Amino acid sequence: MTLNVTPWLVAALMAVSFIANSKTITVEHALGTTQLDTKPERVVVLGMDTLDILDYLDIEPIGVVKAPIPSYLTDYQDDKYISVGTLHEPDFETIFTLKPDLIIASNRNSTAYEELSKIAPTVVFMADAQKFWQTTQQGWRMFGQIFEIEQKVESLISKTEEKIDAVKAKTKAKDATALMVMTNGGNVTTFGSGSRYNAIFDEFGFKQLVHNDKALAHGELISFEFISQANPDYLLLMDRDRAIGRASGEAKQDFYNALVGQTNAAKNDRITELDSQAWYISASGITATNIMIEDMNRALR
């Protein structure tokens, strides 16, 4: 007897196989709990941090935000990946038509969580700057649970923590005091402990040189005179314009001036430009976190 296997039958068998291999779970995330089936295949991603993680774990989404996007993720600008809005404004209609199994929101679009949840199971990956590494681990573990790759994720966490601890040991040994500054449309701002870049001080162990307003998302406005008077041993510089694709990123050149040149940081070649895409756009992604660690090691050279 010959069995006639039609394309419809193959598809049905594959669907049954997928259902059999998945299970229903409840996951905790930044905005609550969500019930979903593991190993979702049709995934919509609304944040660069999450896209970074899925890319690293070889999990391919069907819909993504396409700009601004880190240089190491530009493959997702290909037409095969559907554009689902911006980092701040999801395209609800397009997301609905994609019939996703899972939507992953991020900090910049977390206010849309309830509306997105009406379309499909939605989780939010949103690391807390005050507890960067702790909440980043929680997010990575959430993805390990969702895609049933817990062991792989635990291995990544262990290796990453070793690298973070090694940086902290260096900063402690050097008694490293740093000033973190960001250029933004011609302005210069600073961030201290408790700010959105709290990881520099709490996770990586730099001592802060000045205290500033923790609540300001884009930092506290300062001048080159301020930097000269503060006289940092280490000057950490980030170019926001470069991060969001608004400029080619030549901010560091502006810091080669007479005022900054008087600082210990300049005299000892300790002005370090951080990877703005990793720190500003995709922080807490797996690749981004490793880039952040590399930046800290470069600063401590």
Side-chain angles (χ1 to χ4, degrees):
M1 178 179 177
T2 301
L3 179 63
N4 183 21
V5 181
T6 66
W8 177 89
L9 180 58
V10 170
L13 289 171
M14 289 177 66
V16 171
S17 175
F18 170 74
I19 293 170
N21 288 326
S22 65
K23 58 186 178 184
T24 301
I25 59 171
T26 299
V27 297
E28 295 184 5
H29 55 86
L31 292 185
T33 60
T34 297
Q35 188 176 79
L36 53 89
D37 291 333
T38 59
K39 297 191 283 190
E41 294 189 331
R42 300 184 61 80
V43 181
V44 166
V45 176
L46 297 174
M48 293 304 158
D49 43 10
T50 300
L51 185 58
D52 174 318
I53 293 169
L54 297 195
D55 176 75
Y56 194 99
L57 298 174
D58 295 321
I59 297 166
E60 191 170 41
I62 58 170
V64 300
V65 172
K66 299 200 173 190
I69 193 166
S71 58
Y72 60 89
L73 294 176
T74 53
D75 285 352
Y76 294 95
Q77 290 180 325
D78 189 280
D79 289 342
K80 68 184 279 191
Y81 305 102
I82 305 302
S83 176
V84 290
T86 70
L87 291 178
H88 294 277
E89 297 181 6
D91 183 338
F92 296 102
E93 184 175 351
T94 296
I95 294 171
F96 178 81
T97 61
L98 287 175
K99 295 181 169 50
D101 301 320
L102 175 66
I103 302 169
I104 308 173
S106 194
N107 60 331
R108 292 177 172 89
N109 43 63
S110 58
T111 54
Y113 170 66
E114 289 188 11
E115 200 65 29
L116 292 166
S117 296
K118 296 175 184 178
I119 299 174
T122 302
V123 299
V124 179
F125 176 48
M126 185 167 58
D128 182 350
Q130 309 306 312
K131 302 174 182 177
F132 174 80
W133 180 229
Q134 177 185 333
T135 52
T136 292
Q137 290 179 74
Q138 290 170 355
W140 293 6
R141 288 190 172 105
M142 176 182 72
F143 293 120
Q145 184 183 6
I146 290 172
F147 296 100
E148 296 189 18
I149 49 173
E150 290 95 335
Q151 188 172 351
K152 182 175 183 178
V153 168
E154 287 303 323
S155 177
L156 283 168
I157 288 173
S158 178
K159 291 175 181 176
T160 305
E161 189 157 87
E162 287 179 8
K163 295 176 185 177
I164 292 173
D165 289 343
V167 171
K168 200 163 191 174
K170 286 183 184 179
T171 55
K172 184 177 180 180
K174 291 177 178 286
D175 195 29
T177 300
L179 182 68
M180 160 64 183
V181 299
M182 181 175 78
T183 61
N184 179 20
N187 293 322
V188 180
T189 58
T190 185
F191 299 83
S193 178
S195 71
R196 67 187 296 172
Y197 299 113
N198 183 63
I200 290 171
F201 308 99
D202 275 12
E203 252 66 65
F204 296 116
F206 281 93
K207 292 182 178 179
Q208 67 174 348
L209 185 59
V210 296
H211 297 269
N212 66 313
D213 191 333
K214 302 174 184 178
L216 296 173
H218 292 151
E220 189 166 346
L221 191 65
I222 60 170
S223 64
F224 290 123
E225 287 84 358
F226 177 93
I227 296 173
S228 179
Q229 291 171 9
N231 191 24
D233 290 327
Y234 294 84
L235 182 59
L236 307 176
L237 166 65
M238 192 182 70
D239 185 345
R240 180 178 180 269
D241 293 325
R242 185 173 189 173
I244 62 175
R246 193 162 63 188
S248 59
E250 298 177 350
K252 189 176 179 181
Q253 295 180 12
D254 296 334
F255 283 75
Y256 289 103
N257 59 56
L259 287 167
V260 177
Q262 298 171 11
T263 65
N264 291 334
K267 292 175 182 176
N268 294 303
D269 192 25
R270 290 175 176 169
I271 300 177
T272 303
E273 186 168 8
L274 307 180
D275 186 304
S276 57
Q277 294 178 333
W279 287 85
Y280 190 79
I281 298 296
S282 54
S284 69
I286 297 173
T287 296
T289 299
N290 278 283
I291 290 173
M292 292 162 70
I293 292 169
E294 290 170 6
D295 282 349
M296 295 293 93
N297 280 318
R298 283 193 301 109
L300 292 163
R301 64 191 182 279

